[in-house]
Structure formats: structure tokens, C-alpha cells
Amino acid sequence: PCLEVGDQYPYVMPYSRRLASDCIDVLGWADAHGYGCADYMDNFWCLDGAVGPDWNADWGSFADRAQVRSVDASEACCVCGRASMCIDIEDWHDSRGWTCAH
């Protein structure tokens, strides 16, 4: 579903820190190697919504480092480009059959 802050869903973690832009990182998110949004920010792997100066090209893309069935850093971390507080879950629909797009 299109989840907003405070909604509950078993595959989506609650949200954490709020930045000046009102963007909120996905609380508890980590890539396939266990690194979270704070690691991406602190190590300059992301900067101003994009790949940062210390991202190693040999690591591939953010998507290459995402956990299976999870979002990547650009969708989870504000510093990496997360622009929305809403996450669509593929194939979700409500009790009326409506999807996020409906």
C-alpha cells in the first residue's frame, strides 16, 4: 500500500529521523551488507540525494546492494534521494480492491 507515517505493514518498517525537508528515513533499513542510512551519510556514500564522493564504483549501484525484497538506499535514505514518505507495496490492494494508484 501507499503507507504513511504511523501505518503498519509487516514488510515495511516504521520511519525514523525527520530532516528539514520533512523526509524521513526508513527506520531499521539496511543494505545486503548491513549498512544503514546513517552509514551511507557518515561515509559519504550518498550526498544531496545522489551517489556520494566516497561510493566505490566497484560496489555497483544502490540496487545491487539492496537486500532481497527490499528497497535500496535511494528509496530508504533521505540523503540518498528518498523524496517521499510513501512506499508502494507491489500487488497490494485494500478490502475494496483498490491499489495506491486507484
Side-chain angles (χ1 to χ4, degrees), residues 37-83:
C37 293
D39 297 307
Y40 276 69
M41 182 174 63
D42 294 345
N43 291 300
F44 294 99
W45 297 338
C46 291
L47 186 65
D48 297 329
V51 173
D54 289 343
W55 181 260
N56 186 329
D58 293 337
W59 298 340
S61 68
F62 291 153
D64 293 331
R65 293 181 60 95
Q67 292 185 36
V68 175
R69 294 182 173 230
S70 180
V71 297
D72 67 33
S74 69
E75 298 168 293
C77 308
C78 299
V79 70
C80 298
R82 177 178 172 82

Side-chain angles (χ1 to χ4, degrees), residues 2-100:
C2 186
L3 297 174
E4 298 295 338
V5 174
D7 288 346
Q8 297 296 318
Y9 192 80
Y11 301 108
V12 177
M13 297 179 190
Y15 301 91
S16 65
R17 59 192 164 151
R18 182 178 296 271
L19 301 179
S21 67
D22 284 335
C23 182
I24 301 172
D25 291 335
V26 176
L27 179 66
W29 175 86
D31 68 15
H33 299 275
Y35 295 107
C37 293
D39 297 307
Y40 276 69
M41 182 174 63
D42 294 345
N43 291 300
F44 294 99
W45 297 338
C46 291
L47 186 65
D48 297 329
V51 173
D54 289 343
W55 181 260
N56 186 329
D58 293 337
W59 298 340
S61 68
F62 291 153
D64 293 331
R65 293 181 60 95
Q67 292 185 36
V68 175
R69 294 182 173 230
S70 180
V71 297
D72 67 33
S74 69
E75 298 168 293
C77 308
C78 299
V79 70
C80 298
R82 177 178 172 82
S84 173
M85 294 174 14
C86 180
I87 299 173
D88 290 333
I89 305 296
E90 186 176 342
D91 298 326
W92 176 88
H93 63 298
D94 68 13
S95 60
R96 296 169 291 190
W98 291 12
T99 65
C100 290

